[in-house]
Amino acid sequence: MDSKPVETVDVVVIGAGFSGLYAIHRLRGEHSVVCFEAGDGVGGTWYWNRYPGARVDIQSVEYSYGFDEDLQQEWSWPEYFSAQPDLERYANHVADRFGLRDAIRLSNPVQRLRFDADTNHWHVHTGRGDHVVCRYVVAATGALSIPNVPAWPGRDRFPGKILHTTEWPREGIDFSGQRVGFIGTGSTGIQAMPIIAEQADHLTVFQRTPAYCMPSGNRPLDAAYEAEWKADYTPRRQRILQTWGVSTIEYPSYSALDCTPEQREEILEKGWQSKSAFQLLVAFTDVQTDRAANEIVCEFVRNKIRSIVHDPVVAERLCPTTYPIGGKRLCIGNGYYEMYNRDNVTLVDVRSVPIVEFTENGLRTAEAEYPLDVIVTATGFDALTGSMMRIDIEGLGGVKLADKWAEGPTTYLGAMVAGFPNLFMIHGPMTPGAQAQMITTGEWQVNWTAGVIADMARDGYTRIDTTPDAEAWWADEVNAVSMATVHRFADSWYNARNIEGKKGGFMIYVGGFPRYTALSNGAVQDGYKGFVRS
Ligand code: N01
């Protein structure tokens, strides 16, 4: 029984990350809006991920909002690739500047959603006992918000701290004099470890799969460069939407296979030095589509690793050989490979000798026990579906989303799920997500959603749903485009293969943001093809 009175609003937004904040702003001109946020502050990903070294891997001049000209003119980023505190500060600035805080209820996670088919309303129940009835729900719950921690036994026996990087204490951690065990060598681990290694007595890295890592080239933001962007923001923001999310890299027109070995080396070296993260992935037209072209770039990076890391055994262990570069999201680092030249860093292969358990002394693999004081897990996320699946969501006919998605997510355009009317997702499963740039494309998805909601009132409807046929069509599209790229050759959170036993297949739309927007706009213009409005 709810103790608080039931409230009624037009729209509930779930999550006060970057997309959620913009959704509040965009929708509340015409609608009453309440936003529920699990954290005690705004910023989503950039609120939770406060581990040392957390930093964006896309230039801040483009990884920022474009919806307000004054905002983008006034705001200054201190560095090319902003660190977490600056991103969190920016989220707070936006919340204040646009007066969003009165719509946001912090530390108040949504726990249950139930659709009332008689009235076409959602009933939203939260951790603090709020019960809000609304016409529409916009779930901006984040693609990477639910941490994945493998269920190794013995957690209770280990007397030290075991931390996941997404649950980092605000006051930070002093690793001085500590023996630190670090599990996970993805984008997060690569950022955190070099900083921890500088403090810790010893850092033991437990690596299951080595990562391809490119230097970020981070540096203080150049005033002239910032001025160039500010003078020209509108077309530049447009260009972001017309590329796969990064406009600051060069997209050449030649295949790797048409270049001589000397030309390739020169192009790749230029890309490596470019200070433009991700340049290597588009060094040639076919890096992301052709295994032979891709392998040329892989070998270039392996040779970089061999030239940076002094110990040849460690260098070979760090060389990825089992998947193509870009098959998983490329890691962007600052001194990651160099870190292995420190005397206080050890690399342990836990692919051939897996981790078995936590112990009273540290961590045990199938072959040895490693004495440790602190264990950090950067073991990734129950990505894309996790944040929706943990909410008890009940659609038409009492069907639960968790049951409907038991074998993997089904969506239409990544935006809606059949049988769950009036519920929109931003960066949901089967959207471009991290294959585009999350702030700009999140804004685009919010605008698209706002347009759909506005059309409902204009056309006199109160319910919009999609159909299993439309979901099947979208699944075919998502799978078809995934067959054209090298992503399918890597196990990652893109295809649910980062977590043992997770079902779902390919969950990221890799057909490019321009195609995604064309199909989404096309569906609307084509009389809401794939949707049912009533
Ligand atoms: O997570 P991940 P992440 N035993 O899933 C290992 C974004 N991001 O948090 O590769 C041992 O990539 C796992 O091993 P393997 C970005 O989109 C952006 O690092 O599965 N190891 C892997 O090494 C990124 O893609 C930024 O074999 C285990 C690691 O843990 C996404 O977030 C910064 C294991 C997880 O890597 C996720 O990155 C950070 C086990 N049982 C993140 N289970 C920037 O903007 C997992 N691992 C820069």
Side-chain angles (χ1 to χ4, degrees):
M1 186 78 133
D2 296 310
S3 51
K4 292 185 182 176
V6 179
E7 301 166 73
T8 304
V9 298
D10 296 331
V11 184
V12 164
V13 173
I14 310 178
F18 279 84
S19 296
L21 288 176
Y22 178 58
I24 303 167
H25 175 70
R26 176 69 176 75
L27 289 164
R28 76 186 202 153
E30 291 145 36
H31 310 278
S32 50
V33 180
V34 164
C35 170
F36 292 104
E37 163 58 48
D40 70 1
V42 301
T45 283
W46 298 108
Y47 164 88
W48 294 104
N49 289 276
R50 51 184 72 245
Y51 58 84
R55 176 181 297 288
V56 66
D57 58 5
I58 291 176
Q59 288 190 17
S60 290
V61 282
E62 56 182 341
Y63 188 85
S64 48
Y65 287 119
F67 68 84
D68 187 89
E69 179 60 13
D70 290 342
L71 172 68
Q72 63 187 6
Q73 292 299 330
E74 288 161 16
W75 186 262
S76 270
W77 297 102
E79 297 176 279
Y80 272 76
F81 299 92
S82 294
Q84 178 273 335
D86 289 315
L87 284 147
E88 192 183 5
R89 190 167 56 84
Y90 179 64
N92 278 284
H93 171 75
V94 169
D96 291 332
R97 193 187 189 292
F98 295 96
L100 307 181
R101 289 198 193 272
D102 59 354
I104 303 170
R105 300 186 192 174
L106 298 172
S107 307
N108 200 354
V110 170
Q111 292 184 331
R112 184 169 171 235
L113 293 177
R114 185 179 61 78
F115 189 71
D116 178 344
D118 295 331
T119 63
N120 292 334
H121 281 114
W122 281 100
H123 287 251
V124 180
H125 299 266
T126 75
R128 293 205 163 188
D130 292 12
H131 177 181
V132 177
V133 179
C134 60
R135 177 72 72 208
Y136 301 105
V137 173
V138 176
T141 45
L144 296 161
S145 39
I146 306 298
N148 163 51
V149 183
W152 295 297
R155 210 182 161 92
D156 297 344
R157 286 206 301 276
F158 180 66
K161 277 200 180 81
I162 302 174
L163 294 150
H164 191 280
T165 41
T166 200
E167 298 160 331
W168 212 259
R170 193 179 278 275
E171 64 281 8
I173 296 176
D174 182 6
F175 289 104
S176 317
Q178 306 274 295
R179 296 163 303 174
V180 182
F182 201 105
I183 309 166
T185 53
S187 300
T188 300
I190 272 168
Q191 289 188 325
M193 284 188 276
I195 296 173
I196 295 175
E198 281 174 12
Q199 258 190 24
D201 182 46
H202 196 91
L203 178 74
T204 306
V205 182
F206 297 91
Q207 170 188 272
R208 188 166 70 177
T209 310
Y212 295 98
C213 177
M214 191 182 159
S216 83
N218 187 40
R219 57 213 184 275
L221 185 59
D222 177 66
Y225 184 69
E226 182 184 5
E228 249 175 59
W229 267 82
K230 288 188 171 176
D232 195 30
Y233 246 127
T234 305
R236 288 176 187 232
R237 296 274 186 210
Q238 280 306 319
R239 187 163 136 73
I240 295 167
L241 294 173
Q242 286 151 12
T243 65
W244 59 270
V246 188
S247 71
T248 50
I249 52 182
E250 288 168 31
Y251 293 83
S253 54
Y254 38 79
S255 157
L257 307 177
D258 292 338
C259 299
T260 64
E262 293 74 25
Q263 286 170 328
R264 288 175 197 152
E265 193 64 20
E266 192 183 324
I267 290 163
L268 290 170
E269 186 59 39
K270 209 170 141 218
W272 181 267
Q273 305 289 346
S274 69
K275 299 194 167 123
S276 288
F278 297 112
Q279 184 64 51
L280 283 191
L281 295 189
V282 295
F284 310 102
T285 48
D286 39 7
V287 180
Q288 290 296 281
T289 51
D290 183 288
R291 277 310 285 267
N294 185 282
E295 177 55 24
I296 290 164
V297 186
C298 295
E299 190 55 18
F300 174 83
V301 176
R302 288 181 208 122
N303 284 332
K304 281 288 176 196
I305 297 170
R306 291 168 186 134
S307 72
I308 295 170
V309 178
H310 300 159
D311 181 331
V313 175
V314 175
E316 282 317 307
R317 201 173 280 164
L318 286 167
C319 285
T321 53
T322 55
Y323 66 99
I325 189 167
K328 302 180 187 210
R329 187 176 171 86
L330 182 65
C331 298
I332 309 296
N334 295 289
Y336 174 65
Y337 294 128
E338 291 81 352
M339 176 190 82
Y340 288 97
N341 293 331
R342 298 178 65 99
D343 291 338
N344 69 336
V345 176
T346 309
L347 179 63
V348 176
D349 170 25
V350 293
R351 165 73 64 193
S352 51
V353 183
I355 295 167
V356 175
E357 60 178 351
F358 299 105
T359 68
E360 42 289 322
N361 298 315
L363 202 60
R364 192 192 308 280
T365 67
E367 265 177 9
E369 186 181 27
Y370 294 85
L372 300 166
D373 302 308
V374 185
I375 297 173
V376 181
T377 59
T379 39
F381 298 88
D382 180 3
L384 297 154
T385 52
S387 58
M388 292 294 282
M389 299 274 270
R390 78 167 171 177
I391 303 173
D392 176 8
I393 305 179
E394 186 180 312
L396 293 176
V399 173
K400 302 275 188 168
L401 186 72
D403 293 332
K404 170 145 181 162
W405 282 5
E407 297 299 314
T410 59
T411 76
Y412 179 45
L413 301 167
M416 292 199 81
V417 183
F420 296 81
N422 298 5
L423 169 60
F424 297 94
M425 296 175 293
I426 310 298
H427 292 314
M430 307 161 89
T431 54
Q435 274 305 104
Q437 187 259 85
M438 300 292 269
I439 296 186
T440 305
T441 58
E443 269 182 82
W444 188 92
Q445 287 176 48
V446 168
N447 287 336
W448 182 88
T449 303
V452 171
I453 291 175
D455 286 357
M456 291 289 287
R458 181 198 66 192
D459 300 338
Y461 295 121
T462 56
R463 183 194 289 192
I464 178 167
D465 200 351
T466 184
T467 65
D469 281 352
E471 290 181 322
W473 179 81
W474 187 242
D476 287 348
E477 165 73 15
V478 170
N479 286 329
V481 294
S482 78
M483 294 308 285
T485 74
V486 297
H487 294 95
R488 68 190 189 282
F489 300 116
D491 295 348
S492 75
W493 61 269
Y494 284 21
N495 52 23
R497 297 206 295 257
N498 63 322
I499 297 180
E500 215 182 314
K502 181 167 175 175
K503 294 180 178 167
F506 216 83
M507 297 187 192
I508 285 275
Y509 183 70
V510 294
F513 206 74
R515 184 170 167 84
Y516 175 76
T517 57
L519 292 171
S520 302
N521 283 337
V524 169
Q525 284 152 10
D526 203 359
Y528 279 90
K529 189 172 175 196
F531 295 97
V532 180
R533 300 191 301 163
S534 55

